[in-house]
Amino acid sequence: MKIADFTQSVAGTIKRNIEKKFRDKYPNKYLPSHCVPTKYVIKCFDIDVEFLKSLATIQWNYDKEDTHTD
């Protein structure tokens, strides 16, 4: 719901589709309740991981400078 600002029913449908794809590919692998593999979510929403890493690095550097006192 939070990734794409979907309603609960739409998010549930997407989650079930991701679970189905995972179970079709790995029928004997354990999948915890209420969880889906992150790499499937990244693929489903076409998330640019390198871009997110760059944002996280910028934020980390900003936070680090902000807490530094002279």
Side-chain angles (χ1 to χ4, degrees):
M1 287 175 61
K2 292 181 181 182
I3 290 174
D5 195 28
F6 289 135
T7 63
Q8 187 174 2
S9 63
V10 173
T13 301
I14 293 170
K15 180 180 172 283
R16 283 188 296 279
N17 288 338
I18 292 172
E19 285 177 342
K20 182 176 179 348
K21 287 178 185 177
F22 178 82
R23 292 192 190 280
D24 287 346
K25 188 169 184 176
Y26 305 104
N28 296 324
K29 218 171 196 189
Y30 175 71
L31 185 63
S33 301
H34 310 293
C35 296
V36 292
T38 304
K39 70 179 185 177
Y40 281 77
V41 175
I42 291 169
K43 187 175 180 182
C44 179
F45 289 101
D46 195 26
I47 297 172
D48 186 352
V49 175
E50 293 305 316
F51 176 70
L52 291 178
K53 285 181 183 178
S54 70
L55 290 178
T57 302
I58 292 168
Q59 183 63 43
W60 183 81
N61 288 334
Y62 176 77
D63 290 344
K64 187 176 176 185
E65 290 173 5
D66 192 37
T67 58
H68 180 50
T69 58
D70 290 325

